[in-house]
Amino acid sequence: MQLRDYVDDFRAAGAEMVALHCEGSVEGTEKFARRRHLGFPLGNDDELNVVSHYSVTSTYLIGPDGVIRARWLDRVHDRVSGASILAALNDLNAEGR
C-alpha cells in the first residue's frame, strides 16, 4: 500500500497528510498531483526553501503546535509504511499530544 491509501485513516486519527514536490515547476507539480489523484495537498518547493532544512526523503509527523513528534529517515525506494505512521499517530493521541 502507498501512503495515499492511508489518508482517510490519518484523518480519522485527527491528522492531515501533506507532501512537497521539489523536482519541477509549480505547473509540473499541479499536473503530477492531478495525474496521481493523491487526495492530499502537494506543495511545490522547486527553490528548495523547505527541503533545504529537512531530509528530502524523510517523513515527519508534526503536532498541531508545530513540533516534530516523529521522523522516519527514508530512502528513495524504501519509504516508511502508512501503518507505521498510523501507529505512531495513535500512540501520540493516546499520550494526549
Side-chain angles (χ1 to χ4, degrees), residues 6-63:
Y6 284 86
V7 171
D8 291 335
D9 296 317
F10 296 155
R11 287 185 179 139
E16 286 291 330
M17 185 166 77
V18 297
L20 287 177
H21 186 249
C22 58
E23 297 177 354
S25 66
V26 172
E27 296 81 15
T29 297
E30 290 171 353
K31 284 182 185 177
F32 178 84
R34 280 193 306 272
R35 190 173 59 242
R36 297 288 181 134
H37 307 284
L38 297 179
F40 57 87
L42 178 66
N44 179 271
D45 191 27
D46 60 340
E47 294 182 14
L48 307 179
N49 293 317
V50 176
V51 299
S52 65
H53 299 284
Y54 302 92
S55 173
V56 174
T57 60
S58 292
T59 302
Y60 297 88
L61 182 56
I62 302 171

Short mmCIF file of all heavy atoms in Angstrom, two decimals, residues 6-63:
data_model
loop_
_atom_site.label_atom_id
_atom_site.label_comp_id
_atom_site.label_asym_id
_atom_site.label_seq_id
_atom_site.Cartn_x
_atom_site.Cartn_y
_atom_site.Cartn_z
N TYR A 6 -3.74 5.61 3.05
CA TYR A 6 -3.98 5.83 4.47
C TYR A 6 -4.55 7.20 4.80
O TYR A 6 -4.74 7.52 5.97
CB TYR A 6 -2.67 5.64 5.26
CG TYR A 6 -2.28 4.20 5.41
CD1 TYR A 6 -1.56 3.54 4.43
CD2 TYR A 6 -2.66 3.48 6.55
CE1 TYR A 6 -1.21 2.21 4.58
CE2 TYR A 6 -2.32 2.15 6.70
CZ TYR A 6 -1.59 1.53 5.71
OH TYR A 6 -1.26 0.20 5.85
N VAL A 7 -4.81 8.01 3.79
CA VAL A 7 -5.26 9.39 4.03
C VAL A 7 -6.50 9.40 4.92
O VAL A 7 -6.56 10.17 5.89
CB VAL A 7 -5.52 10.13 2.70
CG1 VAL A 7 -6.20 11.45 2.92
CG2 VAL A 7 -4.21 10.33 1.95
N ASP A 8 -7.48 8.57 4.65
CA ASP A 8 -8.70 8.55 5.47
C ASP A 8 -8.42 8.10 6.89
O ASP A 8 -9.00 8.62 7.84
CB ASP A 8 -9.78 7.67 4.83
CG ASP A 8 -10.33 8.26 3.54
OD1 ASP A 8 -10.27 9.50 3.38
OD2 ASP A 8 -10.82 7.48 2.70
N ASP A 9 -7.52 7.13 7.05
CA ASP A 9 -7.14 6.67 8.40
C ASP A 9 -6.44 7.77 9.18
O ASP A 9 -6.69 7.96 10.37
CB ASP A 9 -6.22 5.44 8.32
CG ASP A 9 -6.91 4.24 7.70
OD1 ASP A 9 -8.08 3.98 8.05
OD2 ASP A 9 -6.28 3.56 6.87
N PHE A 10 -5.55 8.51 8.51
CA PHE A 10 -4.86 9.62 9.16
C PHE A 10 -5.87 10.68 9.60
O PHE A 10 -5.81 11.19 10.71
CB PHE A 10 -3.82 10.26 8.23
CG PHE A 10 -2.68 9.35 7.85
CD1 PHE A 10 -1.99 9.57 6.67
CD2 PHE A 10 -2.27 8.29 8.64
CE1 PHE A 10 -0.93 8.78 6.29
CE2 PHE A 10 -1.22 7.48 8.28
CZ PHE A 10 -0.54 7.72 7.09
N ARG A 11 -6.80 10.99 8.71
CA ARG A 11 -7.82 11.99 9.04
C ARG A 11 -8.69 11.53 10.21
O ARG A 11 -9.03 12.33 11.08
CB ARG A 11 -8.67 12.31 7.82
CG ARG A 11 -7.91 13.13 6.80
CD ARG A 11 -8.76 13.55 5.64
NE ARG A 11 -7.96 14.37 4.73
CZ ARG A 11 -7.99 14.26 3.41
NH1 ARG A 11 -8.83 13.43 2.84
NH2 ARG A 11 -7.21 15.01 2.68
N ALA A 12 -9.04 10.26 10.23
CA ALA A 12 -9.85 9.73 11.33
C ALA A 12 -9.11 9.85 12.66
O ALA A 12 -9.73 9.97 13.72
CB ALA A 12 -10.23 8.28 11.06
N ALA A 13 -7.79 9.83 12.59
CA ALA A 13 -6.96 9.97 13.80
C ALA A 13 -6.64 11.43 14.09
O ALA A 13 -5.84 11.72 14.97
CB ALA A 13 -5.67 9.16 13.65
N GLY A 14 -7.24 12.33 13.34
CA GLY A 14 -7.06 13.76 13.60
C GLY A 14 -5.87 14.39 12.92
O GLY A 14 -5.40 15.45 13.34
N ALA A 15 -5.36 13.77 11.87
CA ALA A 15 -4.17 14.29 11.19
C ALA A 15 -4.45 14.53 9.71
O ALA A 15 -5.37 13.95 9.14
CB ALA A 15 -3.01 13.30 11.34
N GLU A 16 -3.65 15.36 9.11
CA GLU A 16 -3.69 15.61 7.68
C GLU A 16 -2.34 15.27 7.09
O GLU A 16 -1.30 15.47 7.73
CB GLU A 16 -4.00 17.08 7.39
CG GLU A 16 -5.42 17.48 7.64
CD GLU A 16 -6.40 16.85 6.65
OE1 GLU A 16 -6.04 16.59 5.49
OE2 GLU A 16 -7.55 16.62 7.07
N MET A 17 -2.35 14.77 5.89
CA MET A 17 -1.10 14.47 5.20
C MET A 17 -0.88 15.53 4.13
O MET A 17 -1.81 15.91 3.41
CB MET A 17 -1.16 13.10 4.54
CG MET A 17 0.16 12.70 3.93
SD MET A 17 0.24 10.95 3.51
CE MET A 17 -0.70 10.91 2.03
N VAL A 18 0.33 16.04 4.07
CA VAL A 18 0.74 16.96 3.02
C VAL A 18 2.09 16.48 2.52
O VAL A 18 2.82 15.79 3.23
CB VAL A 18 0.84 18.43 3.50
CG1 VAL A 18 -0.51 18.94 3.94
CG2 VAL A 18 1.85 18.58 4.60
N ALA A 19 2.42 16.83 1.29
CA ALA A 19 3.70 16.43 0.72
C ALA A 19 4.29 17.59 -0.05
O ALA A 19 3.57 18.51 -0.47
CB ALA A 19 3.52 15.23 -0.20
N LEU A 20 5.59 17.55 -0.23
CA LEU A 20 6.30 18.56 -1.02
C LEU A 20 6.93 17.88 -2.23
O LEU A 20 7.52 16.81 -2.11
CB LEU A 20 7.40 19.23 -0.21
CG LEU A 20 6.94 20.20 0.86
CD1 LEU A 20 8.14 20.73 1.62
CD2 LEU A 20 6.16 21.35 0.25
N HIS A 21 6.80 18.53 -3.34
CA HIS A 21 7.43 18.08 -4.59
C HIS A 21 8.50 19.09 -4.94
O HIS A 21 8.22 20.29 -4.98
CB HIS A 21 6.34 18.02 -5.67
CG HIS A 21 6.80 17.43 -6.96
ND1 HIS A 21 6.93 18.19 -8.10
CD2 HIS A 21 7.13 16.17 -7.29
CE1 HIS A 21 7.33 17.41 -9.09
NE2 HIS A 21 7.46 16.19 -8.63
N CYS A 22 9.71 18.64 -5.13
CA CYS A 22 10.80 19.60 -5.37
C CYS A 22 11.54 19.31 -6.67
O CYS A 22 12.66 19.75 -6.86
CB CYS A 22 11.76 19.61 -4.18
SG CYS A 22 12.49 18.03 -3.80
N GLU A 23 10.89 18.59 -7.57
CA GLU A 23 11.58 18.22 -8.80
C GLU A 23 10.96 18.85 -10.04
O GLU A 23 10.96 18.26 -11.11
CB GLU A 23 11.58 16.70 -8.93
CG GLU A 23 12.34 16.01 -7.83
CD GLU A 23 12.27 14.51 -7.93
OE1 GLU A 23 11.55 13.98 -8.78
OE2 GLU A 23 12.97 13.86 -7.14
N GLY A 24 10.40 20.02 -9.91
CA GLY A 24 9.84 20.65 -11.09
C GLY A 24 9.14 21.95 -10.76
O GLY A 24 9.13 22.40 -9.62
N SER A 25 8.53 22.49 -11.77
CA SER A 25 7.85 23.77 -11.65
C SER A 25 6.52 23.61 -10.91
O SER A 25 6.05 22.50 -10.69
CB SER A 25 7.56 24.32 -13.05
OG SER A 25 6.63 23.47 -13.71
N VAL A 26 5.92 24.73 -10.57
CA VAL A 26 4.60 24.72 -9.95
C VAL A 26 3.60 24.02 -10.88
O VAL A 26 2.81 23.18 -10.45
CB VAL A 26 4.14 26.16 -9.62
CG1 VAL A 26 2.70 26.17 -9.16
CG2 VAL A 26 5.05 26.79 -8.57
N GLU A 27 3.66 24.35 -12.16
CA GLU A 27 2.76 23.74 -13.13
C GLU A 27 2.99 22.22 -13.20
O GLU A 27 2.03 21.45 -13.28
CB GLU A 27 2.95 24.36 -14.52
CG GLU A 27 2.58 25.82 -14.59
CD GLU A 27 3.69 26.75 -14.08
OE1 GLU A 27 4.85 26.34 -13.92
OE2 GLU A 27 3.36 27.92 -13.79
N GLY A 28 4.23 21.80 -13.18
CA GLY A 28 4.55 20.37 -13.20
C GLY A 28 4.04 19.66 -11.96
O GLY A 28 3.54 18.53 -12.04
N THR A 29 4.15 20.31 -10.83
CA THR A 29 3.64 19.73 -9.58
C THR A 29 2.13 19.59 -9.64
O THR A 29 1.58 18.56 -9.25
CB THR A 29 4.05 20.60 -8.38
OG1 THR A 29 5.47 20.60 -8.28
CG2 THR A 29 3.45 20.09 -7.09
N GLU A 30 1.45 20.60 -10.17
CA GLU A 30 -0.01 20.53 -10.30
C GLU A 30 -0.42 19.39 -11.23
O GLU A 30 -1.36 18.65 -10.93
CB GLU A 30 -0.56 21.86 -10.79
CG GLU A 30 -0.46 22.96 -9.77
CD GLU A 30 -0.80 24.34 -10.32
OE1 GLU A 30 -0.99 24.49 -11.55
OE2 GLU A 30 -0.85 25.28 -9.51
N LYS A 31 0.28 19.22 -12.34
CA LYS A 31 -0.01 18.11 -13.27
C LYS A 31 0.22 16.77 -12.58
O LYS A 31 -0.57 15.84 -12.73
CB LYS A 31 0.87 18.21 -14.52
CG LYS A 31 0.45 19.24 -15.50
CD LYS A 31 1.37 19.19 -16.71
CE LYS A 31 1.07 20.28 -17.68
NZ LYS A 31 2.00 20.27 -18.82
N PHE A 32 1.33 16.66 -11.87
CA PHE A 32 1.66 15.43 -11.15
C PHE A 32 0.55 15.07 -10.16
O PHE A 32 0.09 13.93 -10.10
CB PHE A 32 3.00 15.59 -10.42
CG PHE A 32 3.41 14.40 -9.62
CD1 PHE A 32 4.07 13.34 -10.22
CD2 PHE A 32 3.16 14.35 -8.26
CE1 PHE A 32 4.45 12.24 -9.46
CE2 PHE A 32 3.54 13.26 -7.50
CZ PHE A 32 4.20 12.19 -8.11
N ALA A 33 0.09 16.05 -9.39
CA ALA A 33 -0.95 15.81 -8.38
C ALA A 33 -2.26 15.38 -9.03
O ALA A 33 -2.92 14.46 -8.55
CB ALA A 33 -1.16 17.06 -7.53
N ARG A 34 -2.62 16.03 -10.13
CA ARG A 34 -3.86 15.65 -10.83
C ARG A 34 -3.75 14.24 -11.42
O ARG A 34 -4.67 13.44 -11.31
CB ARG A 34 -4.18 16.65 -11.94
CG ARG A 34 -4.83 17.91 -11.45
CD ARG A 34 -5.42 18.71 -12.61
NE ARG A 34 -4.45 19.01 -13.67
CZ ARG A 34 -3.64 20.07 -13.69
NH1 ARG A 34 -3.67 20.94 -12.69
NH2 ARG A 34 -2.82 20.27 -14.68
N ARG A 35 -2.62 13.93 -12.01
CA ARG A 35 -2.42 12.63 -12.65
C ARG A 35 -2.45 11.50 -11.64
O ARG A 35 -2.96 10.42 -11.91
CB ARG A 35 -1.09 12.66 -13.41
CG ARG A 35 -0.86 11.46 -14.30
CD ARG A 35 0.38 11.60 -15.17
NE ARG A 35 1.59 11.78 -14.39
CZ ARG A 35 2.39 12.85 -14.45
NH1 ARG A 35 2.10 13.86 -15.22
NH2 ARG A 35 3.47 12.93 -13.71
N ARG A 36 -1.92 11.74 -10.44
CA ARG A 36 -1.84 10.70 -9.41
C ARG A 36 -3.07 10.61 -8.51
O ARG A 36 -3.18 9.69 -7.74
CB ARG A 36 -0.61 10.94 -8.53
CG ARG A 36 0.72 10.84 -9.23
CD ARG A 36 1.02 9.40 -9.56
NE ARG A 36 2.31 9.31 -10.21
CZ ARG A 36 3.23 8.43 -9.90
NH1 ARG A 36 3.00 7.55 -8.95
NH2 ARG A 36 4.36 8.42 -10.54
N HIS A 37 -3.98 11.59 -8.61
CA HIS A 37 -5.19 11.59 -7.76
C HIS A 37 -4.82 11.35 -6.31
O HIS A 37 -5.30 10.42 -5.66
CB HIS A 37 -6.19 10.53 -8.22
CG HIS A 37 -6.54 10.62 -9.67
ND1 HIS A 37 -7.38 11.58 -10.17
CD2 HIS A 37 -6.13 9.87 -10.74
CE1 HIS A 37 -7.49 11.42 -11.48
NE2 HIS A 37 -6.74 10.40 -11.85
N LEU A 38 -3.97 12.20 -5.75
CA LEU A 38 -3.38 11.97 -4.44
C LEU A 38 -4.38 12.00 -3.29
O LEU A 38 -4.28 11.22 -2.36
CB LEU A 38 -2.27 13.00 -4.18
CG LEU A 38 -1.09 12.92 -5.13
CD1 LEU A 38 -0.08 14.00 -4.79
CD2 LEU A 38 -0.45 11.55 -5.10
N GLY A 39 -5.31 12.93 -3.29
CA GLY A 39 -6.25 13.02 -2.18
C GLY A 39 -5.72 13.80 -0.99
O GLY A 39 -6.33 13.80 0.08
N PHE A 40 -4.57 14.43 -1.15
CA PHE A 40 -3.98 15.28 -0.12
C PHE A 40 -3.19 16.38 -0.80
O PHE A 40 -2.82 16.26 -1.98
CB PHE A 40 -3.09 14.47 0.85
CG PHE A 40 -1.98 13.72 0.17
CD1 PHE A 40 -0.75 14.31 -0.08
CD2 PHE A 40 -2.16 12.40 -0.21
CE1 PHE A 40 0.28 13.62 -0.69
CE2 PHE A 40 -1.14 11.69 -0.83
CZ PHE A 40 0.08 12.30 -1.07
N PRO A 41 -2.93 17.49 -0.10
CA PRO A 41 -2.21 18.61 -0.72
C PRO A 41 -0.76 18.25 -1.06
O PRO A 41 -0.08 17.58 -0.29
CB PRO A 41 -2.24 19.69 0.35
CG PRO A 41 -3.33 19.31 1.28
CD PRO A 41 -3.41 17.82 1.24
N LEU A 42 -0.34 18.71 -2.22
CA LEU A 42 1.04 18.56 -2.67
C LEU A 42 1.56 19.95 -3.00
O LEU A 42 1.10 20.59 -3.94
CB LEU A 42 1.11 17.66 -3.91
CG LEU A 42 2.49 17.45 -4.51
CD1 LEU A 42 3.39 16.68 -3.54
CD2 LEU A 42 2.40 16.71 -5.84
N GLY A 43 2.50 20.42 -2.19
CA GLY A 43 3.09 21.74 -2.40
C GLY A 43 4.32 21.64 -3.27
O GLY A 43 4.93 20.59 -3.42
N ASN A 44 4.68 22.75 -3.87
CA ASN A 44 5.87 22.81 -4.70
C ASN A 44 6.98 23.52 -3.96
O ASN A 44 6.77 24.57 -3.35
CB ASN A 44 5.57 23.55 -6.00
CG ASN A 44 6.80 23.64 -6.88
OD1 ASN A 44 7.57 24.58 -6.77
ND2 ASN A 44 6.99 22.67 -7.74
N ASP A 45 8.16 22.94 -4.00
CA ASP A 45 9.34 23.54 -3.36
C ASP A 45 10.52 23.50 -4.33
O ASP A 45 11.60 23.04 -3.99
CB ASP A 45 9.66 22.81 -2.05
CG ASP A 45 10.70 23.53 -1.21
OD1 ASP A 45 10.80 24.77 -1.32
OD2 ASP A 45 11.41 22.87 -0.45
N ASP A 46 10.28 23.97 -5.56
CA ASP A 46 11.31 23.89 -6.58
C ASP A 46 12.53 24.75 -6.28
O ASP A 46 13.61 24.53 -6.81
CB ASP A 46 10.75 24.22 -7.97
CG ASP A 46 10.14 25.61 -8.06
OD1 ASP A 46 9.80 26.19 -7.01
OD2 ASP A 46 9.97 26.11 -9.20
N GLU A 47 12.39 25.72 -5.36
CA GLU A 47 13.54 26.53 -4.96
C GLU A 47 14.20 25.99 -3.70
O GLU A 47 15.12 26.60 -3.17
CB GLU A 47 13.10 27.98 -4.78
CG GLU A 47 12.67 28.61 -6.09
CD GLU A 47 12.29 30.07 -5.94
OE1 GLU A 47 12.61 30.67 -4.90
OE2 GLU A 47 11.68 30.61 -6.89
N LEU A 48 13.72 24.85 -3.21
CA LEU A 48 14.28 24.13 -2.06
C LEU A 48 14.28 24.97 -0.78
O LEU A 48 15.16 24.83 0.06
CB LEU A 48 15.68 23.61 -2.37
CG LEU A 48 15.80 22.76 -3.64
CD1 LEU A 48 17.25 22.33 -3.85
CD2 LEU A 48 14.87 21.57 -3.61
N ASN A 49 13.29 25.83 -0.63
CA ASN A 49 13.19 26.66 0.56
C ASN A 49 12.88 25.85 1.81
O ASN A 49 13.33 26.19 2.90
CB ASN A 49 12.12 27.74 0.37
CG ASN A 49 12.51 28.74 -0.68
OD1 ASN A 49 13.65 29.19 -0.73
ND2 ASN A 49 11.58 29.08 -1.54
N VAL A 50 12.10 24.80 1.67
CA VAL A 50 11.72 23.96 2.81
C VAL A 50 12.66 22.77 2.93
O VAL A 50 13.22 22.53 3.99
CB VAL A 50 10.25 23.49 2.69
CG1 VAL A 50 9.90 22.55 3.83
CG2 VAL A 50 9.31 24.69 2.68
N VAL A 51 12.83 22.03 1.83
CA VAL A 51 13.61 20.80 1.93
C VAL A 51 15.08 21.03 2.25
O VAL A 51 15.76 20.11 2.68
CB VAL A 51 13.45 19.90 0.69
CG1 VAL A 51 12.02 19.47 0.51
CG2 VAL A 51 14.01 20.55 -0.55
N SER A 52 15.56 22.24 2.09
CA SER A 52 16.95 22.51 2.47
C SER A 52 17.15 22.41 3.98
O SER A 52 18.26 22.26 4.45
CB SER A 52 17.39 23.89 1.96
OG SER A 52 16.66 24.91 2.59
N HIS A 53 16.05 22.48 4.74
CA HIS A 53 16.11 22.39 6.19
C HIS A 53 15.81 20.98 6.70
O HIS A 53 15.94 20.71 7.89
CB HIS A 53 15.13 23.36 6.83
CG HIS A 53 15.42 24.79 6.50
ND1 HIS A 53 16.44 25.50 7.07
CD2 HIS A 53 14.84 25.62 5.61
CE1 HIS A 53 16.47 26.71 6.57
NE2 HIS A 53 15.51 26.82 5.68
N TYR A 54 15.36 20.11 5.81
CA TYR A 54 14.96 18.75 6.19
C TYR A 54 15.54 17.78 5.18
O TYR A 54 15.95 18.17 4.11
CB TYR A 54 13.43 18.62 6.19
CG TYR A 54 12.75 19.58 7.13
CD1 TYR A 54 12.31 20.82 6.68
CD2 TYR A 54 12.56 19.26 8.47
CE1 TYR A 54 11.69 21.72 7.55
CE2 TYR A 54 11.94 20.15 9.34
CZ TYR A 54 11.51 21.37 8.86
OH TYR A 54 10.91 22.24 9.72
N SER A 55 15.51 16.51 5.52
CA SER A 55 15.93 15.49 4.57
C SER A 55 14.86 15.34 3.50
O SER A 55 13.68 15.22 3.79
CB SER A 55 16.13 14.15 5.31
OG SER A 55 16.38 13.13 4.39
N VAL A 56 15.27 15.35 2.26
CA VAL A 56 14.34 15.31 1.14
C VAL A 56 13.45 14.07 1.17
O VAL A 56 12.28 14.12 0.84
CB VAL A 56 15.10 15.38 -0.20
CG1 VAL A 56 14.17 15.20 -1.38
CG2 VAL A 56 15.85 16.69 -0.30
N THR A 57 13.99 12.95 1.57
CA THR A 57 13.22 11.70 1.53
C THR A 57 12.69 11.29 2.88
O THR A 57 12.33 10.14 3.08
CB THR A 57 14.08 10.56 0.95
OG1 THR A 57 15.22 10.39 1.78
CG2 THR A 57 14.50 10.85 -0.48
N SER A 58 12.60 12.20 3.80
CA SER A 58 12.12 11.85 5.13
C SER A 58 10.63 12.12 5.28
O SER A 58 10.04 12.90 4.54
CB SER A 58 12.87 12.63 6.20
OG SER A 58 14.20 12.19 6.25
N THR A 59 10.06 11.47 6.27
CA THR A 59 8.66 11.65 6.62
C THR A 59 8.60 12.18 8.04
O THR A 59 9.30 11.66 8.92
CB THR A 59 7.91 10.30 6.52
OG1 THR A 59 8.05 9.79 5.19
CG2 THR A 59 6.44 10.46 6.87
N TYR A 60 7.80 13.21 8.26
CA TYR A 60 7.70 13.84 9.56
C TYR A 60 6.26 13.81 10.05
O TYR A 60 5.33 14.05 9.28
CB TYR A 60 8.17 15.30 9.48
CG TYR A 60 9.61 15.45 9.09
CD1 TYR A 60 9.99 15.51 7.77
CD2 TYR A 60 10.60 15.52 10.06
CE1 TYR A 60 11.33 15.64 7.41
CE2 TYR A 60 11.93 15.65 9.72
CZ TYR A 60 12.28 15.70 8.39
OH TYR A 60 13.60 15.83 8.04
N LEU A 61 6.10 13.57 11.33
CA LEU A 61 4.81 13.69 11.99
C LEU A 61 4.91 14.92 12.87
O LEU A 61 5.68 14.95 13.84
CB LEU A 61 4.51 12.44 12.83
CG LEU A 61 3.18 12.38 13.54
CD1 LEU A 61 2.02 12.56 12.58
CD2 LEU A 61 3.04 11.04 14.26
N ILE A 62 4.17 15.96 12.50
CA ILE A 62 4.27 17.26 13.16
C ILE A 62 2.98 17.53 13.92
O ILE A 62 1.89 17.43 13.35
CB ILE A 62 4.53 18.38 12.13
CG1 ILE A 62 5.81 18.07 11.34
CG2 ILE A 62 4.62 19.74 12.81
CD1 ILE A 62 6.06 18.97 10.16
N GLY A 63 3.11 17.87 15.18
CA GLY A 63 1.95 18.15 16.02
C GLY A 63 1.32 19.48 15.67
O GLY A 63 1.91 20.30 14.95
#
